[in-house]
Amino acid sequence: MEGYGLFLVLLVSALLLGFLSVLFALVWVFHYREGLSWDGGSAEFNWHPVLIITGFIFIQGIAIIVYRLPWTWKCSKLLIKFIHAGLNTLAMILAIVSLVAVFDFHNAKNIPNMYSLHSWIGLTAVIFYTLQLVLGFAVFLLPFAPVSLRASLMPIHIYSGLLIFATVIATALMGFTEKLIFALKTAPAYSTSPPEAIFVNTLGLLIVIFGALILWMATRPHWKRPPEQNSKIQQPNGGTPEGTEEESTMTDCSNTDKSDVEFNSEAAARKRNLKLDEVGQRSTM
Amino acid sequence: MEGYGLFLVLLVSALLLGFLSVLFALVWVFHYREGLSWDGGSAEFNWHPVLIITGFIFIQGIAIIVYRLPWTWKCSKLLIKFIHAGLNTLAMILAIVSLVAVFDFHNAKNIPNMYSLHSWIGLTAVIFYTLQLVLGFAVFLLPFAPVSLRASLMPIHIYSGLLIFATVIATALMGFTEKLIFALKTAPAYSTSPPEAIFVNTLGLLIVIFGALILWMATRPHWKRPPEQNSKIQQPNGGTPEGTEEESTMTDCSNTDKSDVEFNSEAAARKRNLKLDEVGQRSTM
């Protein structure tokens, strides 16, 4: 893999930032706020930032770059697809639970739902994320979709995924803004920069940098997973568009012989891979 | 150009959304707020959303896709670079004036500066945007930078540009959230969804869709500007990395002979263009 060292540095940085963001969310709700509970009060609301940051930001970010991890390139594409879909499903479940927490809290406190820009864009993001997951499952995981459909939908799948991820981060930033203004209404007011304000502003920055690292790793063409070696549907130029090759029957990473073949032929795979970029057919993930 | 019809539809949609966003900003400040003035009051603050939406979102968006307009492909690359840099400079000036308006308003009203996440991320975006502009000017417009430096910085320039653009939109969404909460504190409160709240939430959606269209157009490989035909520095494969070719001496679009040659050889240029994508050296803009 070209630039393997840099990739590792960025990956470790992203993981650290992701863990740190989850840790910051927990410190926020336990140290500065009312902790976590499911009682219709503020402690129920607090599940919202914790689950969104854990699932909809951190886990979604990892799901986006899972194809890029070079040590998974010896595993079958199908296995990685399952991991990608599984992580995204987990993120979706956590996002939905976090929405239930907010609606429950609002209803218990007689606060209207869905009035803010944060809620409009946030709910739109959850709906599109769910659609993306269902469509991705039907087209790329189930074996029924024709090759041409997979090839034509892949660029849209990638673009939508990255756009939704960026939109979720933007929505989280709006959420921090709302919560800090509402929670720090009187002394200490948000405008006097009390420790909680500085702390949550810093959390916002951490999440932006995490997102920037994920988007950089996900869009570098030379860090793409090479296409499968045992593809049955060959293109005229010898390559196979991503998402269009026949799946390997191997679903684990223990087949050393195959792994060796795949790793040894990485350079050749990379060349084909790059040719496929020409028609914009290959996944970047 | 492949998919010319779709490109035109998206371009016209983006332009309409951009104009509509500016119009919405004007209706917001004139119909729902105190209008525009430079007196330290709310009407001075109102320059902030108007100038950010006009300059930092709409004009920056157009600056990003200016290389993609196929009818500019007969113009010299240098001319388009000047237009790209000029539009970005205009956007930067408007953004800085809009910051002055806010600081002036805060100081007149004894409101602290730089306490919110919106201000932290917004100021960071303006600083990075200015750095990007200065670096871009020094490396890609001035004729001193070596070819290798241009080629290695181009992917970073493109990524940073798109990241800053997305960050500016996220910051605007935070700004709408702040302003609506502060301006609609008492009846009608933001949470009761008065017409102003619905109107500005809709403005937020318009800006997100505008950003999504710009990012889609800017990242489609088949809509890239083909490299110059009269390049003096040829690559072994016959192509020239974007930003590395010698500039044409023609700086207008009136040279019909050359234009014809360039248009007729568009298919050939596209082929080389795609080959260059293989090494990730070419600009997407």
Side-chain angles (χ1 to χ4, degrees), chain B residues 87-186:
Chain B
L87 289 173
N88 278 309
T89 305
L90 179 61
M92 186 195 67
I93 292 168
L94 295 181
I96 290 172
V97 174
S98 91
L99 290 196
V100 174
V102 173
F103 279 86
D104 219 38
F105 164 75
H106 281 177
N107 295 341
K109 299 268 178 195
N110 280 322
I111 300 170
N113 289 304
M114 299 303 304
Y115 69 85
S116 68
L117 182 56
H118 167 78
S119 65
W120 285 25
I121 295 183
L123 189 64
T124 308
V126 173
I127 291 169
F128 273 92
Y129 191 73
T130 308
L131 277 175
Q132 167 93 338
L133 196 57
V134 172
L135 257 173
F137 183 82
V139 173
F140 300 111
L141 247 181
L142 295 183
F144 309 121
V147 169
S148 60
L149 183 69
R150 287 186 174 192
S152 61
L153 282 187
M154 184 50 87
I156 299 169
H157 181 77
I158 294 165
Y159 170 80
S160 308
L162 299 183
L163 182 68
I164 292 170
F165 178 65
T167 306
V168 166
I169 289 177
T171 310
L173 300 179
M174 277 191 277
F176 296 156
T177 301
E178 274 192 11
K179 181 66 186 175
L180 286 173
I181 295 174
F182 292 145
L184 301 171
K185 252 181 194 159
T186 50

Side-chain angles (χ1 to χ4, degrees), chain B residues 5-280:
Chain B
L6 178 62
F7 180 85
L8 274 189
V9 168
L10 295 180
L11 179 66
V12 170
S13 306
L15 287 173
L16 282 177
L17 283 164
F19 277 120
L20 205 58
S21 301
V22 174
L23 191 67
F24 264 57
L26 289 171
V27 171
W28 183 19
V29 302
F30 279 107
H31 179 66
Y32 291 106
R33 295 280 126 212
E34 308 78 9
L36 294 172
S37 135
W38 201 272
D39 56 2
S42 294
E44 181 168 340
F45 171 88
N46 291 344
W47 281 108
H48 185 61
V50 168
L51 293 182
I52 287 290
I53 291 169
T54 308
F56 221 23
I57 295 179
F58 185 37
I59 297 177
Q60 185 186 171
I62 302 306
I64 285 173
I65 54 157
V66 78
Y67 290 104
R68 303 256 155 175
L69 308 175
W71 49 89
T72 69
W73 292 350
K74 59 183 165 183
C75 307
S76 84
K77 181 82 182 289
L78 187 62
L79 175 66
I80 308 303
K81 281 188 185 186
F82 271 114
I83 294 173
H84 179 70
L87 289 173
N88 278 309
T89 305
L90 179 61
M92 186 195 67
I93 292 168
L94 295 181
I96 290 172
V97 174
S98 91
L99 290 196
V100 174
V102 173
F103 279 86
D104 219 38
F105 164 75
H106 281 177
N107 295 341
K109 299 268 178 195
N110 280 322
I111 300 170
N113 289 304
M114 299 303 304
Y115 69 85
S116 68
L117 182 56
H118 167 78
S119 65
W120 285 25
I121 295 183
L123 189 64
T124 308
V126 173
I127 291 169
F128 273 92
Y129 191 73
T130 308
L131 277 175
Q132 167 93 338
L133 196 57
V134 172
L135 257 173
F137 183 82
V139 173
F140 300 111
L141 247 181
L142 295 183
F144 309 121
V147 169
S148 60
L149 183 69
R150 287 186 174 192
S152 61
L153 282 187
M154 184 50 87
I156 299 169
H157 181 77
I158 294 165
Y159 170 80
S160 308
L162 299 183
L163 182 68
I164 292 170
F165 178 65
T167 306
V168 166
I169 289 177
T171 310
L173 300 179
M174 277 191 277
F176 296 156
T177 301
E178 274 192 11
K179 181 66 186 175
L180 286 173
I181 295 174
F182 292 145
L184 301 171
K185 252 181 194 159
T186 50
Y190 187 19
S191 63
T192 62
S193 294
E196 181 179 352
I198 303 287
F199 187 82
V200 179
N201 284 359
T202 307
L203 171 57
L205 290 185
L206 291 179
I207 286 174
V208 170
I209 303 169
F210 171 77
L213 289 179
I214 295 293
L215 291 174
W216 174 264
M217 284 189 280
T219 53
R220 293 314 92 196
H222 53 285
W223 286 344
K224 278 181 188 169
R225 178 190 161 98
E228 299 261 29
Q229 295 304 295
N230 58 341
S231 305
K232 293 184 183 73
I233 302 173
Q234 292 291 320
Q235 299 290 304
N237 65 1
T240 55
E242 191 92 331
T244 60
E245 66 263 45
E246 290 284 312
E247 300 302 345
S248 160
T249 50
M250 181 188 74
T251 52
D252 59 49
C253 315
S254 59
N255 190 329
T256 332
D257 288 345
K258 184 168 184 305
S259 305
D260 287 348
V261 171
E262 285 202 338
F263 265 121
N264 291 336
S265 62
E266 190 191 312
R270 176 69 56 206
K271 277 191 184 166
R272 274 202 309 287
N273 200 345
L274 289 166
K275 279 200 177 152
L276 288 163
D277 291 342
E278 296 180 10
V279 284

